Every structure is written in C-alpha cells, then in structure tokens.
Amino acid sequence: MAAATRPRALFLACIRGGGGGPSEASGTLVLRPRYPSMPRRPKAAAVAGDLEAAAWAAEEEEKVAVFEVSGMTCAACAGSVEKAVKRLHGIHDAAVDVLGCRAQVAFYPAFVSEEKIRETIEDAGFGAKLIDEEVKEKNILVCRLHIKGMTCTSCTSTVESALQVVPGVQRASVALATEEAEIRYDRRVVTATQLVHAVEESGFEAILVTTGEDRSRIDLKVDGILDERSIMIVRSSVQALPGVEDIKVDTELQKITISYKPDQTGPRDLIEFIESAASGQIAVSIYPEADGREQHRNGEINRYRQSFLWSLMFTVPVFLTSMVFMYIPVLKDGLDKKVINMMSIGELLRWILSTPVQFVIGRKFYTGAYKAICHGSPNMDVLIALGTNTAYFYSVYSVLRAATSDTYMATDFFETSSMLISFILLGKYLEILAKGKTSEAIAKLMDLAPETATVLMYDHEGNVASEKEIDGRLIQKNDVIKVIPGGKVASDGFVIWGQSHVNESMITGESRPVAKKKGDTVIGGTVNENGVLHVRATFVGSESALAQIVRLVESAQMAKAPVQKFADQISKVFVPLVIVLSLLTWLTWFLAGRFHGYPSSWIPSSMDSFQLALQFGISVMVIACPCALGLATPTAVMVATGVGASQGVLIKGGQALESAQKVDCIVFDKTGTLTIGKPIVVKTRLLKNMVLREFYDYVAAAEVNSEHPLGKAIVEHAKNFYSEENHIWPEARDFLSVTGHGVKAKISDKNVIVGNKSFMLSLDIDVPVEASEILMDEEDNARTGIVVAMDQAVVGIISVSDPIKPNAHEVISYLKSMKVECIMVTGDNWGTAKAIGKEVGIENIVAEAKPEQKAEKVKELQLSGRTVAMVGDGINDSPALVAADVGMAIGAGTDVAIEAADIVLMKSNLEDVITAIDLSRKTFFRIRMNYVWALGYNILGIPIAAGVLFPSTRFRLPPWVAGAAMAASSVSVVCWSLLLRYYKRPLVIQERQT
C-alpha cells in the first residue's frame, strides 16, 4: 500500500548533470542508444534548398525534452520507441529508460516539435506525456484550513463559493463535520495566505493547517543565544549542504525551519551539522509538535464550556424568578414589589441578569449573523439572533412601558432569550464533543508511530559497533533500526537480520501475526511479537505507509457523498423559509385574536393576544434546525472511513461509500484475486527428445524479460536446476511480448515461442493431438498449460497452478446471500477458468479476455442497469477498475491498480470485499435514519411550535423548550452516527478469524 502514492525517483539512476560531453553534467539519460544517432546538424534543409531554415538551425542550440512513456515492458519496447523517434527529421539523439519509463530526446526545434515527438511515440503503440506537464503537476498543492464559525451547510457552501472564485484554485471542498477546507491550488498563481484571506473575507475565521508543500520540511528548536553572527554561520553552513532547499530562522520563537530533499539528507544530519557549525554554543532538537486541529478543537470545547457555565450563572436566577419563585408566596410578594410605577423588582432583576447573556455571552451569534447576512447566506446564527432579540427587546419595551405607566402590567420574556442562548451553547458544546469522537480513528493511527527508535551504528567491516536511542522523528532513509520483542517497528523498511512474527493488525486489520525473515518488508507502527529484528529504513516521515493511510483517510473524510447535495439544496432556502413561516405564524395568531378574539381560557392571565402570537413566532424561529441536516451525512462518512481503515479497508470518500452500498454485481479478476497470485510450475511434459535443463534454459531466457506472473513462475522453477543464486540466462534477441498470449524471442540458434494454444495457431505452428489432450487435462484440473515451441515445432507443455485462496468459496457464497451476483473475468483459457469458477462457486465466467474487454464487460453490465464493483490487483485490471462504479484493489497488487481503485483492501483478503459492502450499507442506513430524524424533527416540530395543537389541547411550546429541542437534534444526529464506531464484521468473517 505504501508504494501506491509514492512518486518514483525519476532521475536517480538515469540522469546525470552538466554540459555537452558524456562525462559532463548534461542532464542526459545514462543509457547507450540502441540505434545510430543523426549527424550533429540535419542536412535535409540545405539539400532542399531551404538555406534560411538551415542557417536558423545552425545558430539555434539543440533542445532536450524528456517524455514519460507508459506501456513499455521490456528492452524491446524501449528499442521500438527509440527507433520510431530517431526516424523523425530533426532528431539529434534519443535514449530510452525502460525501468524509469522515460525517453530523453535531443532535437532541433526548427525541424521537429515536442508535440510531433509525442505523437510519434504514441503511434508506436505507447503512451507519452511531456515531462514539463509533470513539472506543472508539482506546482499543484493541496492546502488544508481549519475554519471557525460554520454552523450549517449554508456556511460550507458560502466558503466553497468564496474559494472557488480565487484564481489558481482548481477545487475546494469544505466539510462541516471536521470544520476543515481542502483546497487544490496552483502555487504559482495563488498562495496559502491568500486562501486564508479569501475565507476571512467570506465572514469566517481560517487557520492554516498545512500548505501542502511542507512534507519535506522540519522545524527545529534552538536552545541557546541566537545572535546575528550565529544566525549567519548557521544559515550559510546549512545552505551549503546537499539536499537543503531553504532555511528560515525565527529568533522570537527560537525556531529554524528547513526544507530539504529526503533522499540526500535528513533531520538527524541537519541537527548534528547545525550544532557542529555553532561550535556547541547552541543545542538543537525537534520543535515540540502539536496537532493543530486537536488544539483548535480543544480550544473550541473550552470556549463553549466556559460560555455555557457563565450563561448558566445568569440564566438560573432568571429561570428561578420567572418559573419557580412565583409559586412561593413569600418570594413572589418580594419580587412583585414595584420599583418605578408598575415595574417590579422581579422584572428589573431579570432584565439585569439577561442582558450580559444576550450581548456578551451571545455576541458570537450577532457576529455570525451579521457576516452571514452581508454575504447573502443566512444561517443558524440569523435564526438565533432574531429569536432571542425579539424576546429580549419586546421584554425591554414591556418593562419600560410599565415603568412609565400607572396601569400597564408588563409581561416579559427575558427567560426565553437567556435560556435559549444557554441551551444552544450547551448543545454546541455537546455537538463538538461528539464530533471530536468521529475522528478518533485518525488519532489512533497517528499514535501508532513510536516515540523513540534504536539505531545501530556499524564499523568499517560491517559489524554492529554501537546502538543509540533517538527520537522516532529523526529516523532517516537507510538507517538500520533494532526492534526488540514487544517493541514497535519505527519505520517502513525491510529485514536485514533476524526472524520474528509481527502483529500488523493495527495497520492492515490482519489478526494473525505475520512471519518475517531476512528480505521481508515491515510496516512502521506494527508490533514485533518475539525475535529481534534489524530493519533497514526505506520510507520515513510523510512517505511512510502510516502517514499515507492517515492522509488518505483525511482526504476521504473531506470528500462529499452525492447524497449530501440533498442537504445542500435544502440549506439554501431553509433559513429564509423559516423566517417567513415565523412571521406568518405571528401574524396569523395576532390577527385571529384581534378580529375574532380568543376564548378567555386560551390566553394566560399575564398575556394578551399579541404576546401569545409573539411566543408562537419565536418558537417557530428557534425550533427549526438546519444543522442536523448538514451533519447527517459527513459525520457518518467520517466515522465509517475511520472504522474501515482500522479494519484494513481504505475507502476513498463518500462517493465510494455511496456507490458500494448499491452494488448488486461484482466482477472478479482471477489471478491474485480469487487465487493466491503466486503460480508455481507443477509438471513438465516434453514432446521431443531434450535434456530438461536445456529445455528450461531456452524457456527461461525468453520469459525472463516478461512481467507476467506465469513467466516469473517459470523462471523461478528454472533456477532450481542451478546452484548459484543469480544465474545468467542466454541472451534473448528480437524479443516480443503479446499481452494475453505469450512471448517469442531468438535464443542462441533457435526461435523460441512460449504461450497459449491460440498464440501458437496465430503463428502457424501446428499443435499435435497429444499436446491438445494434455492441455485439456490440465484445464480440467484448474491448471494453466503453457505451450513451448522451438523452430515452429511444439517441444513441450509446462503446467502451472495458482492455488485458490482458501476462503474464496465462502466469500462468494456469502455475497450471493447478500443478493450480489458474482462474475469472473480472466485472461486465462476457458478450461482453467471454468474449473476455478466451479471450485469457488461462480457460474458466470468470461475467459481469454484482454484488459480492454474486461472494461467492456463492466460497461455492458452497467448498461443493463447493474451497479458494478470490480475487484482486481494487476495493471491489466486498471481499465476495469476505473470503469466500474466501485473499483476495489487488492492491497498486495500493483501501484496502478491501487491508484485506480475507490476502495483498497490492504490485507489482500477476499473477506474484505464483504466488509466494504456491509460497512457501506450500514453507513447509509445511518445516514438515511439521520435524514429521517432531521427532516421529521423539522416537519413535526415547526407545526407544533406554530401552535397547531393549541386550539384543541391548549398545548404550546415555550420558546426556550423549542431552543432546547433544536440543540438536542444536532447532538442526536452526531451520536447516531457515532454508533458506527461499534461496527462488527459479518459473523462469517469473525468466525473465520477466531
């Protein structure tokens, strides 16, 4: 999995520096051209009489272009590309690197263009992309911002719109649940600071989490005096180090920030060098790290808790004086005493106590409402501000009128405004606490990395000289780390000494410890069970598998599910609609009382029809809750992606989750998916008199250039005939690989062809009856028969078996019980395909399918109305993975397959296909229930608050109770989503693992 997103080191082995000569730094590929190069200057222009063009060419320096070439599998492919390019007029030189998938071309722009070269490579049958486009890609970064002040999906839409109009922004996604924005932008056009400014202009506070360019950056803390002289020494010394790109010194924070290339240097080298350059006058260490998002969340939790407690100090006395003390005669008489005219002590106390709640503690609702109105996107703050202000200012009017009148009896709603604000603050506090639980999976993943590591130091003879315990963040590439029993593996790498079992359940979800020996890879953050291991670090820091899993889960939690659009559409009109409804409610009740009158039993003695109508209007305004709608989907998606990651199923966002829960048809690849993917040679039948070792010499020499698993199995089997580990096979000339059929090459004095029966027939090679019978027998036994021909005559049959995964039949059977049809599509022959299909329980089979035919089968199923998932592991599965509604890549598969997939099954276990579909279905059940609750709450709550039950039952909902219900609705939605944390795999998987 770790390799899935790692960029290749493009020029480590194929580019050297400088001038024009072979030994100078010219940036040319270190390869010998396979075909002669053109003369220094093209003569065609002069021959044609085009002297002007020839003179231009003579004056113009040749240009060098580098292309990324896809589809090359062997040296013959590289030769084809080189030959095609050199045939072009105006090419001076060309060299192709098959391993790096690169072609470097020296040409004269007067005669040929880069586009023409690219088209020529494509005409030769390969994909080509100018490397300059890749340079552009390197300028595209992903920035993350923490955004404060968002309350509903209307807020997220406002922020997204503000970001998307910024020049240089390619995509912006804002998540309400995480309160974060993820922006893909071109750093040549816009900076991260400008993006922060754009968010703040839209009325929200933004804090930069990451610019996207700090993955090879380290912050160092300096203990000691940083004067101008020491700064100058440190800066000049560090800048001279190879691999250092930039250095910044902050004297106030005592911090040095260095950007570097991890392939050339590392944090430990930098620290040692800085301390040495400063002659020991300063001590340098890793700057104390803190999770910015966690800090922001904790800060917000503390602010809401403090605000709620302060509001409670004022609201409780208001509540007591208005709702409790009025029933205690002695206290009631004291509160009813008049102060000025008809204004009582109780009214004055409530006014004094509710004022700080309204304007000091509740000021955030004013600022939020003001910003929302200014940007034309009214949100929850607008409803709260309108509701509480209406209650407060009417109460002020009523009290002041009583103070200036000898007869007017005041009726105040101070308890409504103060209790509303208190309950809403309590609701927000509980909501933020609950939302913090949704990202626990990421926090647990980040905590897996050990704080310290033991690094081994070697002497000149390669023996361990000493060991040193260092900060885990100081590990560098190629360090050798000692891992003791019970200790955590500190970095991705491979074992160079020792044997043990490693528990990888925290990364892959695999419950059984995995045996590790010399040469095996290990993952950082896993736990060593027994023996001691020496591990050479390969991928550290942000390149590690753990870091990439965390980034993938974070990105997945930012990605919106299509169902979220439903809530977004409602939120656009929700607040204006509620304001209109509240006004209509007040107007209806007021006019009904004014012109028709209410029975005396309807209205409390302390109220008139205006005040009753006002209460109904305020209740409607504060009970409506767009927040629950906005949180219904993202909270469930956040929890599900985190739970999936902990189970070894990496889900790339809400789109993948939503599509997976609809899947009713799964297309399986065979090799490496239904089978183990490590074929072995089980039988060899010779049809001519030959020495078996000589036979395998020819076959292995042809197949050693092939990337096909069957070819690799043959080569591995052929090695058994020799004692040396790296046997050199005879040279293969004129090598040709035909995808899905076989290979042919000239080996010594023989034309060798290795492949299937149809490949032989296409080359006019007669397949004898005996060979055909052997092939049929092998197919019936679920084995693949490979035909070997030499000089147009079949000489032998090699039988290769790829064992079926032990759980394949149970998985297929369980999927059928889930109403999911299973289909197998393979490039293997029909006989083998049918035999394996019968063994695993799949009836619908497509065999001898090329990669493009796999994708066509997926599209055919989609056109018939099916929701299709594709499960595969190889490069040839990539087109089908992309074409499917949900692509699932087996984690041990190729990088290309993993990149193309929507869901990655890290353990390479088929049971995880069931887990992915089951988890997605349970997630969307939660989402549907969230919407039922959020919509049902508003559909039922608003009419009740408007007083539809009042004429028949005399039941009315006080505004403060409506506000409490509104606050509870958001908390309930988040808590319902949080129940996904207790997700259990289907029983069939649990039983197998136990």
Side-chain angles (χ1 to χ4, degrees):
M1 171 63 210
T5 54
R6 290 187 186 112
R8 292 187 178 182
L10 303 182
F11 301 102
L12 284 182
C14 60
I15 290 186
R16 61 187 177 189
S23 62
E24 295 173 346
S26 62
T28 57
L29 296 170
V30 183
L31 293 170
R32 286 203 314 270
R34 294 166 178 78
Y35 302 97
S37 299
M38 280 186 60
R40 178 64 182 165
R41 299 289 180 193
K43 298 177 180 178
V47 171
D50 191 352
L51 299 177
E52 184 180 350
W56 182 17
E59 293 175 0
E60 186 180 19
E61 287 296 323
E62 71 180 44
K63 188 175 180 181
V64 178
V66 181
F67 296 85
E68 180 183 1
V69 183
S70 57
M72 296 190 298
T73 58
C74 60
C77 299
S80 301
V81 173
E82 189 178 314
K83 183 187 288 185
V85 171
K86 284 187 173 179
R87 283 176 180 158
L88 285 174
H89 184 61
I91 300 296
H92 174 247
D93 199 2
V96 181
D97 173 28
V98 66
L99 295 177
C101 299
R102 294 290 184 271
Q104 181 167 289
V105 183
F107 65 101
Y108 300 104
F111 298 94
V112 66
S113 65
E114 294 164 335
E115 181 62 21
K116 180 65 177 174
I117 298 170
R118 187 187 65 77
E119 289 175 357
T120 301
I121 297 174
E122 291 182 344
D123 290 342
F126 304 91
K129 177 183 174 184
L130 187 63
I131 207 73
D132 184 52
E133 294 176 20
E134 195 168 280
V135 172
K136 291 178 185 175
E137 284 296 314
K138 290 178 181 177
N139 286 306
I140 305 301
L141 302 176
V142 178
C143 168
R144 297 178 79 90
L145 304 177
H146 178 79
I147 300 174
K148 295 183 179 181
M150 297 191 300
T151 56
C152 60
T153 50
S154 177
C155 302
T156 62
S157 299
T158 302
V159 176
E160 278 184 2
S161 301
L163 287 168
Q164 284 168 347
V165 298
V166 177
V169 172
Q170 296 184 351
R171 185 185 70 245
S173 177
V174 181
L176 178 63
T178 58
E179 295 182 327
E180 282 193 4
E182 185 178 85
I183 308 110
R184 181 180 171 87
Y185 69 103
D186 189 336
R187 62 177 172 183
R188 296 171 300 180
V189 181
V190 64
T191 65
T193 305
Q194 289 172 316
L195 296 175
V196 171
H197 182 68
V199 173
E200 291 174 344
E201 284 290 309
S202 68
F204 300 89
E205 184 181 350
I207 299 170
L208 185 64
V209 176
T210 174
T211 62
E213 57 185 349
D214 54 358
R215 289 184 181 174
S216 295
R217 190 187 74 181
I218 188 168
D219 294 327
L220 302 175
K221 187 177 187 304
V222 178
D223 291 320
I225 300 173
L226 272 178
D227 53 27
E228 290 185 8
R229 181 176 174 278
S230 59
I231 291 173
M232 183 187 70
I233 292 172
V234 168
R235 191 189 298 275
S236 59
S237 301
V238 171
Q239 283 177 336
L241 280 174
V244 172
E245 296 177 327
D246 186 34
I247 177 171
K248 296 176 182 176
V249 181
D250 189 327
T251 53
E252 290 185 9
L253 296 176
Q254 292 284 97
K255 182 168 74 171
I256 300 175
T257 301
I258 302 173
S259 298
Y260 63 95
K261 294 178 181 177
D263 288 325
Q264 298 182 30
T265 188
R268 196 168 69 254
D269 289 344
L270 293 170
I271 288 175
E272 292 173 357
F273 189 81
I274 292 171
E275 290 180 340
S276 174
S279 303
Q281 295 179 2
I282 60 175
V284 183
S285 58
I286 296 281
Y287 203 82
E289 230 177 60
D291 187 346
R293 280 163 290 191
E294 195 64 29
Q295 279 187 332
H296 300 320
R297 184 177 289 115
N298 289 337
E300 200 167 16
I301 289 172
N302 289 332
R303 283 194 297 274
Y304 272 109
R305 182 174 62 243
Q306 289 174 3
S307 295
F308 170 67
L309 292 175
W310 276 107
S311 68
L312 211 60
M313 286 175 58
F314 295 99
T315 301
V316 169
V318 172
F319 171 78
L320 292 174
T321 57
S322 60
M323 301 286 186
V324 179
F325 293 168
M326 59 184 294
Y327 298 106
I328 302 174
V330 177
L331 295 176
K332 184 178 183 300
D333 292 342
L335 293 172
D336 285 344
K337 285 184 179 178
K338 307 304 177 185
V339 182
I340 304 173
N341 290 331
M342 296 298 291
M343 184 176 70
S344 66
I345 292 175
E347 292 162 355
L348 182 59
L349 280 174
R350 287 192 290 274
W351 184 8
I352 293 170
L353 290 169
S354 64
T355 298
V357 177
Q358 184 70 36
F359 298 109
V360 180
I361 299 170
R363 67 184 180 279
K364 71 175 296 294
F365 301 117
Y366 284 97
T367 56
Y370 173 75
K371 291 175 181 177
I373 292 171
C374 287
H375 292 90
S377 56
N379 59 9
M380 195 66 225
D381 290 335
V382 174
L383 295 179
I384 296 169
L386 281 175
T388 57
N389 275 325
T390 301
Y392 178 84
F393 284 109
Y394 176 79
S395 301
V396 171
Y397 158 78
S398 181
V399 170
L400 289 176
R401 184 176 174 185
T404 57
S405 171
D406 295 330
T407 57
Y408 181 79
M409 292 290 293
T411 301
D412 67 89
F413 303 116
F414 287 121
E415 82 284 350
T416 295
S417 66
S418 57
M419 290 178 71
L420 261 177
I421 290 173
S422 296
F423 275 118
I424 290 166
L425 289 172
L426 174 61
K428 290 297 289 182
Y429 169 66
L430 295 175
E431 181 186 319
I432 293 168
L433 276 178
K435 282 198 294 187
K437 300 288 185 183
T438 61
S439 57
E440 271 189 355
I442 290 181
K444 287 179 180 177
L445 282 171
M446 295 176 74
D447 288 341
L448 290 176
E451 293 183 1
T452 61
T454 302
V455 175
L456 299 178
M457 309 297 178
Y458 289 82
D459 58 23
H460 295 296
E461 296 178 357
N463 299 317
V464 176
S466 63
E467 57 184 57
K468 180 182 179 182
E469 187 174 279
I470 63 169
D471 189 311
R473 294 168 294 175
L474 295 178
I475 298 172
Q476 299 178 177
K477 286 186 178 180
N478 295 319
D479 280 347
V480 177
I481 304 161
K482 179 182 177 182
V483 188
I484 61 174
K488 287 185 177 181
V489 179
S491 169
D492 293 1
F494 61 91
V495 178
I496 63 171
W497 181 88
Q499 295 184 43
S500 183
H501 285 78
V502 176
N503 182 356
E504 298 180 344
S505 61
M506 62 289 299
I507 301 291
T508 66
E510 176 59 66
S511 58
R512 301 182 186 90
V514 182
K516 299 292 181 182
K517 61 182 185 303
K518 183 179 178 180
D520 290 341
T521 58
V522 291
I523 306 171
T526 54
V527 178
N528 184 23
E529 294 280 335
N530 33 41
V532 177
L533 295 175
H534 291 179
V535 176
R536 186 174 298 280
T538 53
F539 298 102
V540 299
S542 60
E543 292 183 336
S544 68
L546 186 60
Q548 292 185 70
I549 291 170
V550 169
R551 283 202 298 272
L552 190 148
V553 175
E554 286 177 339
S555 295
Q557 292 179 346
M558 292 295 300
K560 289 185 178 180
V563 71
Q564 178 67 28
K565 294 176 182 176
F566 171 68
D568 292 344
Q569 293 297 324
I570 293 177
S571 70
K572 290 178 181 178
V573 297
F574 188 88
V575 173
L577 183 63
V578 168
I579 294 173
V580 171
L581 284 174
S582 65
L583 289 173
L584 287 174
T585 299
W586 173 80
L587 192 61
T588 301
W589 281 102
F590 175 69
L591 292 178
R594 183 72 176 243
F595 295 106
H596 300 286
Y598 298 135
S600 58
S601 60
W602 279 29
I603 305 177
S605 57
S606 60
M607 286 189 189
D608 57 25
S609 60
F610 178 87
Q611 294 164 346
L612 181 66
L614 188 64
Q615 270 209 350
F616 283 129
I618 295 172
S619 294
V620 169
M621 197 175 297
V622 298
I623 200 173
C625 182
C627 303
L629 278 171
L631 292 168
T633 300
T635 51
V637 169
M638 278 187 71
V639 178
T641 50
V643 167
S646 67
Q647 304 271 11
V649 178
L650 294 183
I651 302 167
K652 298 182 181 179
Q655 172 76 61
L657 265 175
E658 183 164 347
S659 298
Q661 59 98 21
K662 299 176 185 175
V663 166
D664 55 12
C665 178
I666 299 181
V667 176
F668 288 95
D669 175 45
K670 178 181 75 70
T671 305
T673 303
L674 292 172
T675 63
I676 292 174
K678 293 182 179 179
I680 55 172
V681 174
V682 293
K683 189 190 296 184
T684 308
R685 295 285 295 275
L686 295 179
L687 305 180
K688 301 287 182 182
N689 289 327
M690 281 186 80
V691 177
L692 190 59
R693 188 169 76 169
E694 182 186 358
F695 170 81
Y696 269 105
D697 275 348
Y698 283 109
V699 177
E703 288 286 9
V704 75
N705 293 310
S706 172
E707 292 294 319
H708 197 282
L710 297 182
K712 291 181 177 180
I714 291 172
V715 174
E716 286 300 314
H717 183 73
K719 289 179 180 178
N720 295 329
F721 291 94
Y722 296 92
S723 57
E724 65 266 29
E725 189 173 340
N726 296 313
H727 180 72
I728 299 175
W729 305 106
E731 183 183 1
R733 290 174 289 132
D734 301 329
F735 176 82
L736 177 66
S737 174
V738 181
T739 304
H741 291 282
V743 299
K744 68 176 186 174
K746 190 170 184 63
I747 313 293
S748 299
D749 58 341
K750 294 183 182 292
N751 289 315
V752 179
I753 302 165
V754 186
N756 55 28
K757 183 178 178 180
S758 62
F759 189 40
M760 300 296 154
L761 297 175
S762 69
L763 296 173
D764 297 325
I765 297 173
D766 182 49
V767 180
V769 175
E770 182 185 359
S772 296
E773 290 176 350
I774 294 171
L775 290 173
M776 290 176 64
D777 288 341
E778 295 305 316
E779 289 172 4
D780 291 341
N781 292 319
R783 296 171 181 167
T784 301
I786 299 173
V787 184
V788 179
M790 297 182 189
D791 294 332
Q792 296 297 105
V794 175
V795 297
I797 306 289
I798 300 173
S799 298
V800 179
S801 174
D802 187 4
I804 293 172
K805 289 183 177 178
N807 58 333
H809 187 273
E810 290 87 345
V811 169
I812 300 301
S813 176
Y814 193 86
L815 286 170
K816 288 178 180 178
S817 71
M818 295 172 71
K819 311 297 182 188
V820 177
E821 182 186 358
C822 298
I823 299 172
M824 182 174 74
V825 180
T826 177
D828 211 338
N829 61 71
W830 275 101
T832 303
K834 286 180 179 178
I836 288 180
K838 183 179 179 181
E839 194 167 340
V840 300
I842 296 178
E843 297 86 19
N844 196 340
I845 299 167
V846 178
E848 298 179 4
K850 294 180 179 179
E852 60 272 17
Q853 291 172 325
K854 292 183 181 181
E856 287 170 6
K857 179 62 179 177
V858 168
K859 291 173 184 175
E860 179 187 320
L861 290 166
Q862 289 170 328
L863 288 173
S864 66
R866 313 297 293 274
T867 302
V868 183
M870 171 70 195
V871 185
D873 73 324
I875 292 174
N876 60 347
D877 299 323
S878 300
L881 288 169
V882 173
D885 297 289
V886 182
M888 298 187 190
I890 296 291
T894 64
D895 297 354
V896 177
I898 292 170
E899 282 291 325
D902 302 298
I903 297 175
V904 179
L905 312 178
M906 294 180 63
K907 296 197 298 286
S908 300
N909 284 352
L910 280 176
E911 294 106 322
D912 289 339
V913 175
I914 298 174
T915 301
I917 294 175
D918 184 65
L919 176 60
S920 65
R921 288 181 177 181
K922 284 184 168 60
T923 300
F924 268 78
F925 170 74
R926 299 277 174 191
I927 290 173
R928 281 190 284 269
M929 293 306 296
N930 280 344
Y931 277 123
V932 167
W933 165 250
L935 286 172
Y937 162 81
N938 282 292
I939 290 170
L940 293 175
I942 290 175
I944 292 172
V948 294
L949 300 178
F950 187 67
S952 57
T953 64
R954 305 296 182 272
F955 176 79
R956 61 187 175 90
L957 203 64
W960 64 271
V961 175
M966 182 269 288
S969 67
S970 296
V971 177
S972 62
V973 164
V974 176
C975 290
W976 181 247
S977 295
L978 280 174
L979 291 176
L980 277 169
R981 290 195 302 165
Y982 307 104
Y983 168 80
K984 299 293 183 186
R985 297 179 177 210
L987 190 61
V988 65
I989 301 177
Q990 295 180 46
E991 288 174 350
R992 176 175 173 78
Q993 290 183 339
T994 54

